[in-house]
Amino acid sequence: MSASVPTGDQERASGGARRAVPEPQAEPVAQTFDLVKVYGSGKTQVTALDHVNVSFTRGSFTAIMGPSGSGKSTLMHCLAGLDKFTSGRVVMGDQELNRLNDKQLTLVRRDRVGFVFQSFNLLPTLTAKQNILLPLELAGRKPDKAFFEQLTSSLGLQERLEHRPSELSGGQQQRVAVARAMITRPDVIFADEPTGALDSKTGTALLQYLRTCVDELGQTIIMVTHDAKAAAFADRALILLDGQIVDDLAYPTVESVNEALVRVGA
Ligand code: ADP
Ligand code: MG
């Protein structure tokens, strides 16, 4: 057929190319430029991020991998405006985080990013529906009924909305947490080991739901994971080592991720 073969597919078809190549018109939604984060000072100084340059495009699903202590959480926290960094720049949407004061950063965290944690973090006294709508309520925003319905149906939650967390399975609770993270339509969802507390079958189902959020709702997701099987659901896998991105895999598979981890000795 004609003109618009995505670059990624060309890369894939040509075989062997491992660099994630952004699609031609793909809009960057989060970017870092020479991002450095140093903890402590003197002898106890640790360089957690060492000149990280990375760009995430809207509607992409990225896995961040690497050994413990390689800087995965620090990178997520700096991108999300949760941690101050030492030097460099972070751009989230159209905002440069290093130029914002604490009040503005609070708004970035509230309006531009969503979080999904290993441990669900739902409020036990609220129903699923109330948990999902809570971020809008806190921001004084009205729910968009059509989007709420689309979101809860994409996540298979329609029948569970009036239940409290204790009446839901682990997988259902985590889907409520995903819906809660998505209800504000954030630029990026950060998921830190989202399947860590789920059994393998439920974890796989959750990853499929995350994939649906990307494919059907255009959500951008950045997920930290130790699991090559989880990374294989993403469009891209970054491998961190000692605060640097040492590999960047397009269309990761269990095999390509494991090979890359072995290559860097992780
Ligand atoms: P990962 O999430 O990949 O396990 P982290 O981002 O948590 O890695 O940590 C990267 C490095 O920064 C590690 O050496 C860790 O010990 C150090 N580090 C993380 N948080 C702090 C902190 N609050 N104070 C001092 N050192 C820290
Ligand atoms: Mg971590």
Side-chain angles (χ1 to χ4, degrees), residues 143-154 183 185 217:
D144 169 344
K145 194 158 178 282
F147 181 64
F148 177 83
E149 276 165 16
Q150 187 186 12
L151 180 57
T152 49
S153 96
S154 289
I183 194 71
R185 302 184 190 236
L217 305 169

Side-chain angles (χ1 to χ4, degrees), residues 55-257:
S55 177
F56 300 93
T57 54
R58 197 173 288 282
S60 63
F61 185 3
T62 305
I64 300 184
M65 306 195 76
S68 178
S70 56
K72 303 181 296 293
S73 295
T74 304
L75 176 59
M76 258 177 61
H77 293 167
C78 290
L79 281 165
L82 288 170
D83 257 7
K84 294 247 160 77
F85 39 93
T86 308
S87 64
R89 294 162 57 210
V90 174
V91 179
M92 173 66 65
D94 55 4
Q95 284 185 300
E96 196 155 331
L97 299 195
N98 33 297
R99 292 173 185 268
L100 304 183
N101 61 31
D102 287 345
K103 206 169 162 191
Q104 292 168 315
L105 279 174
T106 303
L107 293 183
V108 167
R109 289 194 293 267
R110 194 187 74 183
D111 297 334
R112 288 192 176 273
V113 298
F115 295 95
V116 177
F117 303 97
Q118 183 170 337
S119 53
F120 319 146
N121 290 12
L122 300 176
L123 292 183
T125 57
L126 300 185
T127 64
K129 182 175 180 178
Q130 290 166 334
N131 266 288
I132 295 168
L133 293 175
L134 188 61
L136 289 180
E137 198 160 310
L138 293 175
R141 283 164 60 188
K142 270 211 158 76
D144 169 344
K145 194 158 178 282
F147 181 64
F148 177 83
E149 276 165 16
Q150 187 186 12
L151 180 57
T152 49
S153 96
S154 289
L155 287 164
L157 288 170
Q158 306 99 310
E159 310 297 316
R160 292 286 175 273
L161 293 173
E162 301 308 325
H163 292 67
R164 287 179 213 285
S166 61
E167 299 159 345
L168 299 173
S169 69
Q172 288 165 349
Q173 289 182 60
Q174 192 60 309
R175 272 141 57 199
V176 171
V178 172
R180 179 183 58 182
M182 284 191 60
I183 194 71
T184 60
R185 302 184 190 236
D187 284 321
V188 180
I189 286 188
F190 294 98
D192 203 346
E193 296 277 356
T195 58
L198 303 175
D199 64 64
S200 139
K201 199 168 148 219
T202 313
T204 300
L206 195 265
L207 289 159
Q208 269 153 356
Y209 280 111
L210 292 179
R211 193 65 252 176
T212 302
C213 291
V214 173
D215 296 339
E216 287 182 10
L217 305 169
Q219 181 62 54
T220 310
I221 300 181
I222 301 176
M223 166 179 78
V224 168
T225 181
H226 284 104
D227 180 3
K229 286 207 290 285
F233 281 83
D235 305 310
R236 178 187 189 191
L238 298 177
I239 307 214
L240 256 72
L241 190 66
D242 298 333
Q244 299 185 324
I245 294 177
V246 294
D247 215 334
D248 187 345
L249 309 176
Y251 309 107
T253 62
V254 173
E255 294 73 27
S256 71
V257 166

Side-chain angles (χ1 to χ4, degrees), residues 5-17 251:
V5 179
T7 313
D9 282 358
Q10 287 169 340
E11 290 286 339
R12 188 154 36 176
S14 71
Y251 309 107

